[in-house]
Amino acid sequence: MTTTEKLLHELEKVHTGHPWYGSPVYNILDKVTFESAYERVGHAHTIAEIILHMVSWTEEIMDRLNEKPASMPVSGNWPEVGDPDENKWKEWIEDLKLVNVNLVRVIQDFPEDKWVDPIIDERGDQPVTTNEELVYGFIQHQIYHTGQIALLTRIIIG
């Protein structure tokens, strides 16, 4: 398997496949109601906040793979969700799916020999990472937040 194939396989498991740790994120999101997406448990982020965070970081990863310098996501690390809005919630789920389709395209089109190249990172205070490490780290990030959504859903909905 090429690096591209491995990364795509791992990403597919997180979204819709059969990951060893449990359900993929889209299956978990199917159980989330509009009301529960905005419910805050203690000091934890809401599911809606986590979804926007996942979308913003997916966009940032695509920017980095497209050779833009590493930075915070353009839409922010934790974008504001505003007042509960059922239409916005539905749009955010579609945004998450669309941005992941776009990420898959970026990975598919990424030159195989560039996976070992370092990302462009002019911040100076961060360790240098390769494009491959970037995507594997991103996958871990998505798994972490998928677990948060699963736990919050269990707590809120039961």
Side-chain angles (χ1 to χ4, degrees):
M1 242 190 216
T2 66
T3 299
T4 299
E5 291 168 338
K6 290 175 188 173
L7 292 170
L8 290 171
H9 177 71
E10 291 301 312
L11 199 55
E12 183 271 332
K13 285 194 298 187
V14 171
H15 296 145
T16 60
H18 300 286
W20 69 266
Y21 54 81
S23 299
V25 69
Y26 297 154
N27 288 14
I28 293 168
L29 288 172
D30 286 342
K31 299 173 187 169
V32 177
T33 63
F34 153 69
E35 295 84 10
S36 64
Y38 287 88
E39 190 169 328
R40 187 169 307 280
V41 176
H43 297 287
H45 287 286
T46 66
I47 294 170
E49 289 170 337
I50 295 168
I51 292 301
L52 287 184
H53 175 76
M54 291 171 76
V55 169
S56 67
W57 276 100
T58 306
E59 294 168 341
E60 174 62 21
I61 297 305
M62 286 190 296
D63 284 348
R64 292 180 189 189
L65 290 174
N66 284 313
E67 299 183 342
K68 292 184 180 174
S71 67
M72 291 300 284
V74 173
S75 57
N77 188 19
W78 290 98
E80 290 293 322
V81 298
D83 294 329
D85 182 316
E86 189 167 6
N87 288 328
K88 280 197 296 188
W89 169 246
K90 289 176 183 177
E91 287 174 15
W92 293 336
I93 297 302
E94 291 307 311
D95 288 348
L96 180 67
K97 292 176 180 178
L98 179 61
V99 77
N100 281 305
V101 166
N102 292 336
L103 176 61
V104 165
R105 285 188 193 128
V106 169
I107 292 171
Q108 286 171 333
D109 293 341
F110 200 80
E112 190 67 30
D113 62 330
K114 289 192 168 214
W115 286 118
V116 296
D117 291 352
I119 65 168
I120 299 170
D121 193 340
E122 300 164 348
R123 297 173 293 179
D125 62 340
Q126 302 294 319
V128 177
T129 187
T130 66
N131 290 301
E132 179 182 9
E133 293 167 334
L134 173 73
V135 177
Y136 275 121
F138 168 75
I139 291 168
Q140 294 166 1
H141 176 262
Q142 301 303 75
I143 292 168
Y144 172 79
H145 288 303
T146 297
Q148 286 182 309
I149 293 167
L151 287 171
L152 288 169
T153 301
R154 168 90 34 120
I155 291 166
I156 297 166
I157 299 174

